[in-house]
Amino acid sequence: MAAAKMIVGLAVVWMLVAVATTSTEASVSCSTVASDLSPCYSYLANGGTPSSSCCSNIKSLYGSATTNADLQSLCTCLKQLYSSYGSSINLTYVEDVASKCDVNVPYKISPSTDCSSVGINEFEL
């Protein structure tokens, strides 16, 4: 009987650890960010006005970022994308795209941003 209680107790602890672990993982993947931002590449390279699909996707990305881990992951993905496409896109347009789409991003979208300092308390749409 004691062994059964111990097994049940360990199972409960394991489930709590699993729930805590999954709740802190970012739900935003870099492949999703890259795909969602693909309608923005023309604006990021040439300026002008971002397309409605670009703005819609940016709003969706930041709307789905509901935890610190989500925002930090999104920030890191943006930095990685900039590093990948750096010579073909304009940093000024990268920094301005969110505001042109009426999305409040509480940190500078830049290769120099410290993504570990990004937090949900600063964020609002």
Side-chain angles (χ1 to χ4, degrees), residues 36-124:
D36 285 357
L37 291 181
S38 62
C40 301
Y41 290 139
S42 176
Y43 168 78
L44 296 174
N46 305 310
T49 302
S51 68
S52 60
S53 59
C54 170
C55 289
S56 175
N57 288 357
I58 288 174
K59 287 177 185 177
S60 178
L61 279 171
Y62 278 96
S64 67
T66 58
T67 66
N68 287 345
D70 292 341
L71 281 176
Q72 291 168 358
S73 176
L74 185 52
C75 175
T76 300
C77 291
L78 291 172
K79 286 177 66 169
Q80 289 173 358
L81 284 172
Y82 179 75
S83 294
S84 298
Y85 296 101
S87 63
S88 63
I89 59 176
N90 185 309
L91 182 58
T92 300
Y93 302 143
V94 170
E95 292 173 351
D96 292 343
V97 68
S99 65
K100 288 209 175 219
C101 290
D102 295 322
V103 176
N104 178 24
V105 178
Y107 58 89
K108 183 176 181 178
I109 300 173
S110 166
S112 63
T113 299
D114 177 8
C115 293
S116 67
S117 69
V118 172
I120 200 76
N121 295 333
E122 307 162 2
F123 180 72
E124 60 183 88

